[in-house]
Amino acid sequence: MKKERLTRIKELVLEFDITTQDMLVDILNKDGYNVTQATVSRDIKKLGLIKSFEDGVNKYVLKKETETANTV
Amino acid sequence: MKKERLTRIKELVLEFDITTQDMLVDILNKDGYNVTQATVSRDIKKLGLIKSFEDGVNKYVLKKETETANTV
DNA sequence: TCTGAATAAGAATTCAAC
DNA sequence: GTTGAATTCTTATTCAGA
Protein backbone atom coordinates (compact mmCIF):
# COMPACT_ATOMS: atom_id res chain seq x y z
CA MET A 1 0.00 0.00 0.00
CA LYS A 2 1.32 3.37 -1.00
CA LYS A 3 0.87 5.98 1.65
CA GLU A 4 2.21 8.40 -0.91
CA ARG A 5 -0.78 7.71 -3.14
CA LEU A 6 -3.18 8.35 -0.30
CA THR A 7 -1.58 11.71 0.31
CA ARG A 8 -1.84 12.52 -3.36
CA ILE A 9 -5.52 11.65 -3.41
CA LYS A 10 -6.16 13.93 -0.50
CA GLU A 11 -4.37 16.74 -2.26
CA LEU A 12 -6.43 16.13 -5.37
CA VAL A 13 -9.80 16.31 -3.66
CA LEU A 14 -8.75 19.51 -1.95
CA GLU A 15 -7.60 21.07 -5.19
CA PHE A 16 -10.14 19.82 -7.70
CA ASP A 17 -13.78 18.94 -7.87
CA ILE A 18 -13.47 15.18 -7.98
CA THR A 19 -16.89 13.81 -8.73
CA THR A 20 -16.09 10.17 -9.53
CA GLN A 21 -13.51 7.60 -8.63
CA ASP A 22 -12.74 7.25 -12.32
CA MET A 23 -11.60 10.85 -12.34
CA LEU A 24 -9.12 10.01 -9.64
CA VAL A 25 -7.99 6.95 -11.55
CA ASP A 26 -7.30 9.07 -14.62
CA ILE A 27 -5.36 11.73 -12.76
CA LEU A 28 -3.41 9.22 -10.71
CA ASN A 29 -2.45 7.32 -13.83
CA LYS A 30 -1.16 10.50 -15.42
CA ASP A 31 0.73 11.13 -12.20
CA GLY A 32 2.39 7.77 -12.59
CA TYR A 33 0.35 5.91 -10.01
CA ASN A 34 -0.98 2.85 -11.71
CA VAL A 35 -4.24 2.08 -10.03
CA THR A 36 -7.74 0.95 -10.83
CA GLN A 37 -11.11 1.98 -9.54
CA ALA A 38 -11.11 -0.88 -7.05
CA THR A 39 -8.03 0.46 -5.36
CA VAL A 40 -9.26 4.02 -5.39
CA SER A 41 -12.45 2.86 -3.76
CA ARG A 42 -10.38 1.32 -0.97
CA ASP A 43 -8.19 4.39 -0.65
CA ILE A 44 -11.22 6.60 -0.31
CA LYS A 45 -12.45 4.44 2.51
CA LYS A 46 -9.09 4.62 4.26
CA LEU A 47 -8.99 8.39 3.92
CA GLY A 48 -12.53 8.77 5.13
CA LEU A 49 -13.57 10.71 2.07
CA ILE A 50 -17.23 11.25 1.47
CA LYS A 51 -19.27 12.48 -1.42
CA SER A 52 -21.01 15.71 -0.68
CA PHE A 53 -22.77 18.49 -2.53
CA GLU A 54 -20.54 21.49 -2.41
CA ASP A 55 -20.87 24.42 -4.76
CA GLY A 56 -23.49 22.63 -6.77
CA VAL A 57 -21.45 19.54 -7.45
CA ASN A 58 -21.44 16.15 -5.84
CA LYS A 59 -17.80 15.72 -5.07
CA TYR A 60 -15.43 13.96 -2.75
CA VAL A 61 -14.39 15.88 0.30
CA LEU A 62 -12.60 15.08 3.50
CA LYS A 63 -14.96 14.14 6.24
CA LYS A 64 -15.07 16.27 9.31
CA GLU A 65 -18.13 15.67 11.35
CA THR A 66 -21.54 14.56 10.41
CA GLU A 67 -24.39 13.93 12.78
CA THR A 68 -26.46 17.00 13.25
CA ALA A 69 -30.02 17.73 14.14
CA ASN A 70 -30.68 20.69 11.92
CA THR A 71 -34.12 21.51 10.77
CA VAL A 72 -35.28 20.52 7.33
CA MET B 1 -43.39 16.71 -2.54
CA LYS B 2 -44.01 15.64 1.01
CA LYS B 3 -42.09 17.63 3.52
CA GLU B 4 -43.43 15.23 6.06
CA ARG B 5 -41.58 12.42 4.35
CA LEU B 6 -38.34 14.34 4.43
CA THR B 7 -38.72 14.85 8.14
CA ARG B 8 -39.37 11.17 8.60
CA ILE B 9 -36.28 10.26 6.64
CA LYS B 10 -34.18 12.50 8.80
CA GLU B 11 -35.61 10.88 11.90
CA LEU B 12 -34.85 7.47 10.48
CA VAL B 13 -31.20 8.13 9.75
CA LEU B 14 -30.77 9.57 13.22
CA GLU B 15 -32.38 6.58 14.84
CA PHE B 16 -31.19 3.69 12.72
CA ASP B 17 -28.15 2.65 10.77
CA ILE B 18 -29.50 3.20 7.30
CA THR B 19 -26.98 1.75 4.91
CA THR B 20 -28.92 1.76 1.65
CA GLN B 21 -31.67 3.73 0.00
CA ASP B 22 -33.59 0.50 -0.35
CA MET B 23 -33.68 0.25 3.43
CA LEU B 24 -35.35 3.62 3.55
CA VAL B 25 -37.79 2.58 0.85
CA ASP B 26 -38.77 -0.48 2.88
CA ILE B 27 -39.24 1.40 6.10
CA LEU B 28 -41.09 4.27 4.46
CA ASN B 29 -43.41 1.87 2.72
CA LYS B 30 -44.22 0.22 6.04
CA ASP B 31 -44.80 3.69 7.44
CA GLY B 32 -47.34 4.28 4.73
CA TYR B 33 -45.20 6.47 2.53
CA ASN B 34 -45.32 4.97 -0.91
CA VAL B 35 -42.02 5.80 -2.51
CA THR B 36 -39.39 4.25 -4.70
CA GLN B 37 -35.62 4.39 -4.68
CA ALA B 38 -35.67 7.22 -7.21
CA THR B 39 -37.59 9.45 -4.86
CA VAL B 40 -35.52 8.52 -1.87
CA SER B 41 -32.43 9.40 -3.85
CA ARG B 42 -33.87 12.85 -4.49
CA ASP B 43 -34.95 13.26 -0.88
CA ILE B 44 -31.48 12.42 0.31
CA LYS B 45 -30.08 15.08 -1.91
CA LYS B 46 -32.58 17.62 -0.60
CA LEU B 47 -31.74 16.77 2.98
CA GLY B 48 -28.03 16.87 2.33
CA LEU B 49 -27.51 13.40 3.67
CA ILE B 50 -24.20 11.74 3.02
CA LYS B 51 -22.88 8.24 3.39
CA SER B 52 -20.21 7.99 5.99
CA PHE B 53 -18.45 5.33 7.99
CA GLU B 54 -19.64 5.59 11.55
CA ASP B 55 -19.28 2.84 14.10
CA GLY B 56 -17.99 0.49 11.47
CA VAL B 57 -20.88 0.85 9.10
CA ASN B 58 -21.28 2.91 5.98
CA LYS B 59 -24.49 4.70 6.68
CA TYR B 60 -26.43 7.81 5.86
CA VAL B 61 -25.92 10.70 8.19
CA LEU B 62 -26.77 14.36 8.18
CA LYS B 63 -24.01 16.45 6.78
CA LYS B 64 -22.41 19.00 9.01
CA GLU B 65 -19.15 20.24 7.63
CA THR B 66 -16.67 18.58 5.44
CA GLU B 67 -13.53 20.19 4.11
CA THR B 68 -10.67 19.62 6.45
CA ALA B 69 -6.95 19.43 6.09
CA ASN B 70 -6.20 16.69 8.56
CA THR B 71 -3.14 14.60 8.15
CA VAL B 72 -3.39 11.12 6.66
C1' DT C 1 -1.03 -6.88 2.48
C1' DC C 2 -2.11 -5.01 -1.55
C1' DT C 3 -3.98 -5.08 -6.07
C1' DG C 4 -6.89 -5.76 -10.51
C1' DA C 5 -10.54 -7.84 -13.19
C1' DA C 6 -14.87 -8.86 -12.99
C1' DT C 7 -19.13 -8.66 -10.79
C1' DA C 8 -22.56 -7.26 -7.62
C1' DA C 9 -24.59 -3.72 -5.32
C1' DG C 10 -26.01 0.81 -4.77
C1' DA C 11 -27.35 5.37 -6.34
C1' DA C 12 -28.44 9.12 -9.79
C1' DT C 13 -30.75 10.37 -13.88
C1' DT C 14 -33.76 10.18 -17.91
C1' DC C 15 -38.03 10.12 -19.68
C1' DA C 16 -42.77 10.08 -19.38
C1' DA C 17 -46.60 11.06 -16.77
C1' DC C 18 -49.29 13.29 -13.36
C1' DG D 1 -43.18 20.78 -8.87
C1' DT D 2 -43.20 15.52 -7.84
C1' DT D 3 -42.89 10.78 -8.86
C1' DG D 4 -41.89 5.80 -10.72
C1' DA D 5 -39.93 2.58 -14.03
C1' DA D 6 -36.23 1.76 -16.36
C1' DT D 7 -31.73 2.78 -17.37
C1' DT D 8 -27.22 4.38 -16.74
C1' DC D 9 -23.70 5.51 -13.87
C1' DT D 10 -20.88 4.82 -9.88
C1' DT D 11 -18.98 2.36 -6.13
C1' DA D 12 -18.07 -1.76 -3.13
C1' DT D 13 -16.78 -6.40 -2.96
C1' DT D 14 -15.40 -10.98 -4.39
C1' DC D 15 -12.08 -13.80 -5.92
C1' DA D 16 -7.66 -14.81 -7.54
C1' DG D 17 -3.07 -13.78 -7.56
C1' DA D 18 1.36 -11.53 -6.45
Side-chain angles (χ1 to χ4, degrees):
Chain A
M1 192 263 282
K2 298 280 181 56
K3 184 175 182 183
E4 195 183 326
R5 189 185 61 232
L6 292 179
T7 303
R8 182 65 183 135
I9 290 176
K10 196 166 63 170
E11 287 173 2
L12 289 171
V13 301
L14 285 171
E15 184 172 7
F16 305 106
D17 286 353
I18 306 292
T19 56
T20 66
Q21 298 185 355
D22 278 343
M23 279 186 65
L24 280 176
V25 172
D26 286 344
I27 299 173
L28 288 170
N29 284 340
K30 285 172 189 161
D31 275 7
Y33 296 97
N34 233 270
V35 284
T36 63
Q37 179 265 324
T39 296
V40 168
S41 173
R42 294 173 188 122
D43 286 353
I44 283 170
K45 186 172 180 177
K46 283 173 201 145
L47 289 169
L49 298 183
I50 52 177
K51 263 190 116 164
S52 176
F53 282 98
E54 307 287 336
D55 318 313
V57 291
N58 199 203
K59 66 175 180 177
Y60 283 101
V61 293
L62 293 168
K63 177 172 62 175
K64 192 170 185 176
E65 287 180 32
T66 44
E67 311 271 358
T68 60
N70 299 327
T71 52
V72 183
Chain B
M1 192 261 283
K2 298 279 182 56
K3 184 175 179 181
E4 196 183 325
R5 190 186 58 232
L6 292 180
T7 304
R8 182 64 183 137
I9 289 175
K10 197 165 63 168
E11 287 175 1
L12 289 172
V13 301
L14 285 171
E15 184 172 6
F16 304 106
D17 285 351
I18 306 292
T19 57
T20 67
Q21 298 185 356
D22 280 342
M23 278 185 65
L24 279 175
V25 172
D26 286 344
I27 299 173
L28 289 169
N29 283 340
K30 285 172 189 163
D31 276 6
Y33 297 98
N34 235 271
V35 287
T36 61
Q37 179 263 324
T39 296
V40 168
S41 173
R42 295 174 187 120
D43 287 354
I44 283 172
K45 187 172 178 177
K46 284 174 200 143
L47 288 169
L49 298 183
I50 53 179
K51 264 190 114 163
S52 177
F53 281 97
E54 307 286 335
D55 318 312
V57 293
N58 198 202
K59 66 175 182 178
Y60 283 101
V61 293
L62 293 166
K63 176 172 63 174
K64 191 170 188 178
E65 287 180 32
T66 44
E67 311 273 357
T68 60
N70 299 327
T71 52
V72 182

